[in-house]
Each structure stands twice: as C-alpha cells, then as structure tokens.
Amino acid sequence: MADPSMVTPDLIRTRQAIFEQPDWLKACQANMALQDLETRKRNMLTDEALGQIKAPALVLWTTPPAPWMKAGASPGSFPMANSP
C-alpha cells in the first residue's frame, strides 16, 4: 500500500477471506491475463476496431497513455468522436 495507515484490521481480514476462497488463484490468474504481452496484444483496440463501433461509446482510462495510444490508434477513430 502506498499509505500504510490505510491498512486496517478489517481490510486485512477481508483480504485473508478472499485469499482463502477455493477458486481464488484461478480468479487471480484471469484478472491478471492482460499482464501477458501476447494476450494484451490480442485485446488492444486499433483504429480499424474503433472505427467499426456503430453505437455511441464512452471510453475511460485512469492513467496515460490511453489504451489506443499503445495500440497505435487515436480517439478520432470513433465515428463522430469528441475530445474535451
């Protein structure tokens, strides 16, 4: 944790309960699937893929670079794309 003062006894108990679940390891591996470079590459959005989206779409990300920047795509690939 970035701030150890945020680690409460309740948080520790909750995490212990999660880690004790029978399928925890399988779920953890599924959650981390995109850490594998080949899996990540298969799931990256390209300009072509973004251009095929016909419905209005909202794309959110939390840290730069945005996923399409790594894939070589751009937000303008969306039909009728708007940027702030």
Side-chain angles (χ1 to χ4, degrees), residues 60-75:
L60 302 173
W61 66 94
T62 58
T63 56
W68 59 70
M69 292 174 182
K70 289 184 178 181
S74 64

Side-chain angles (χ1 to χ4, degrees), residues 1-12:
M1 290 243 149
D3 181 359
S5 71
M6 301 295 292
V7 180
T8 64
D10 186 51
L11 176 63
I12 292 169

Side-chain angles (χ1 to χ4, degrees), residues 27-66:
C28 185
Q29 290 168 335
N31 277 339
M32 300 302 289
L34 293 180
Q35 296 302 312
D36 174 68
L37 185 57
E38 292 306 312
T39 302
R40 182 180 291 215
K41 285 179 181 178
R42 286 194 315 269
N43 288 280
M44 286 182 151
L45 296 173
T46 62
D47 279 340
E48 181 182 354
L50 291 171
Q52 293 176 7
I53 297 173
K54 304 298 181 208
L58 175 64
V59 178
L60 302 173
W61 66 94
T62 58
T63 56

Side-chain angles (χ1 to χ4, degrees), residues 3 19 33 40 45 64 67 69 75 77 80 82-83:
D3 181 359
F19 300 151
R40 182 180 291 215
L45 296 173
M69 292 174 182
S77 301
M80 301 172 53
N82 295 316
S83 307

